[in-house]
Amino acid sequence: MGVLTGVRNLSRALRLLVSTSVRVAPWQALLCLGETGGVILGLLQPLYLAWFVAGAAGHDTQQMALAAGAFVAQIGLGRALVWLGMNARFGQLERVGYEFDARIAELTSSVPTIDHLHDPHYLDQLQIMREERGSLGLALNTLLNNLNGLAGVVGVVALAATADPRMLLVAVAGVPGVLAGPLLARWQGRAEAAGAEPGRLAAHLLQVGTSPAGGGEVRVFGLADPLRGRLAAAAHAWWKPKVGLAVRESVVNVAVQVIFFGVAGAVLAWLVRDAVAGAVTVAALTLALLLIGRLQGVSGTLRDIIHNVAAMSRTAGRFLWLVDETARIRAAQHGTGTPPDVPAHGLVLDRVGYRYPGHDTPALEEVSLVLPAGGVVALVGENGAGKSTLVNLISGMLRPTTGTIGIDGHDLAGIDPVAWRSRLAGAFQDHARLEFTLGRSVGIGDLAKRDDEAAIRRALHEGAAEAVLTSVPHGLQTQLGVTWPDGVDLSGGQWQRLAIARGMMRLMPLVRVLDEPTAALDAATEHELFDQYTRAARSGRDTGTITILVTHRFSTVAAADQVVVLDHGRVVEQGTHAELINRGGHYSDLYELQARGYR
Ligand SMILES: Nc1ncnc2c1ncn2[C@@H]1O[C@H](COP(=O)(O)OP(=O)(O)OP(=O)(O)O)[C@@H](O)[C@H]1O
């Protein structure tokens, strides 16, 4: 990164932090400056002390009284200002922190597609940002501390020069300490980057090892030891760069101190010699002595300022990267067209391919399909065949890396993704367990009708979830989730049925996707449900809804108009169930294999 880019990024970061702080709480932002005034007053202490000592040496009681009075007054006023500023600073810290948390959540969820959530680089940046979320909140705090520190540095150096110009040599001896700042900041940046991925892995392994969901498998498969081993290795890889950094920091700090105190000792000896000879006044020598400690602090303060500003700029830079990246992704999804109210022809996939970010092998290749309006298509195939990827492409969550998907002759890329998504309905294998009231948990499948009891009951009926409703104590008002007052828990299958009902809330979707929402149900129930969807789809053919069923169970898809068989990301067969059975190919083999399992 060039110096110019660095300066530009820093100034962008500073503007972001200051403008956010001022926008969130303008009065507090202003009050924070009181602290800087207090710091500047505090700097004058050695001056009053030197006057006092000089007054005592010259038996000048008036000077002594004046110096003592000024000393006490500046302590009182300085402390009051610091107190005011500090309170404002801490109040500001929380509000700015919440503001950034909210904006991060908004940015990550405002992208209509999910390709970026599969990108390891994006996830690493997000992980570091989560770890450092607090430091964005602390940004104004850091900035003010730096401002106070800078005021202190300027004041101390000016006072030191007043005491004796040779004291500037001592200030210069602090330069190596200052120069070490950027070096340490660079090392820290590298250590953070090196620890991000293992940190994510350690958090994931810890979650697997401690969550009730993974608990059963961990025990049955005897995974506790290997998991502990991998967790230890990941944690080691996470903290190793941090330990290395701490060691190098210590070595640099010791070297810097040795240089400073060597020069300071020599200059003081020189001043004492001149004071004995009468060439330096008692006041100047006293001031010089009092300022040595503060001068030593100067290089530390400057270094901290550089370090803090670099860290702050890095953290703010990541936030700005997220802002830019979000804008870039959104700009690439420039579709503004509206989807048709009722599809006339249907979806056409023309040589569609998709490659996940950072992966060489495509998950889908050369997929060409026609999904007619009002039709029911079943996607079948073994694990990893590409069914969910295809569904995500049709839903507009992912964008094809090659080929096009069109609806009634219009490329999906030209349609506003949010408008497209608003016309989809469905239930997915990774459904959410929404711990709201039962009615709300289903109703939000169509936000406009979330409180429409009749619509919710209809969706529960169509999702074959009425049995869930009758099994809970307070009907639609039942709170779901045992961690809430009066909350009830549901079985995996019951949660799944609610997710399916949620997918039935939208009445006239363009596409209704049912991506293995029935995995927790038995084969007979799944069969019955898919038959019900197919019948519902056929009875409402005039709405043009394209129904896509995804399943592993071949027996449940016989009623679909069209069965598409995927294998290793390619369409290997398509046709009706009867056609495919007669063909005696891949579908027929797999169907026979599963059917034998049920005999
Ligand atoms: N987030 C991802 N990053 C990289 N590769 C992925 C990702 N998700 C899926 N894949 C890969 O893409 C291919 C297709 O996966 P997909 O989930 O679409 O298959 P599927 O047919 O739905 O499988 P299943 O029946 O197990 O749900 C697989 O090889 C899988 O490993």
Side-chain angles (χ1 to χ4, degrees), residues 501-555:
R502 192 158 54 238
M504 292 296 174
M505 278 299 290
R506 281 193 181 148
L507 266 185
M508 282 180 51
L510 290 172
V511 182
R512 192 187 303 280
V513 175
L514 297 151
D515 183 0
E516 290 188 67
T518 45
L521 306 182
D522 54 75
T525 314
E526 180 184 281
H527 187 82
E528 187 190 315
L529 258 174
F530 275 21
D531 262 1
Q532 190 168 325
Y533 300 145
T534 313
R535 275 198 305 278
R538 294 226 166 87
S539 66
R541 282 224 151 132
D542 47 337
T543 66
T545 299
I546 301 163
T547 305
I548 302 175
L549 310 175
V550 180
T551 180
H552 285 290
R553 293 171 180 153
F554 287 57
S555 57

Side-chain angles (χ1 to χ4, degrees), residues 114-115 117-120 354-359 361-364 380-392 398 429 515-516 550-552 566 568-569:
I114 56 169
D115 308 59
L117 297 179
H118 298 301
D119 182 351
Y354 186 75
R355 195 190 297 270
Y356 282 96
H359 287 255
T361 338
L364 278 182
V380 295
E382 293 172 285
N383 286 129
K387 303 180 296 293
S388 296
T389 307
L390 186 56
V391 160
N392 280 333
L398 303 175
Q429 43 184 325
D515 183 0
E516 290 188 67
V550 180
T551 180
H552 285 290
L566 285 168
H568 291 96

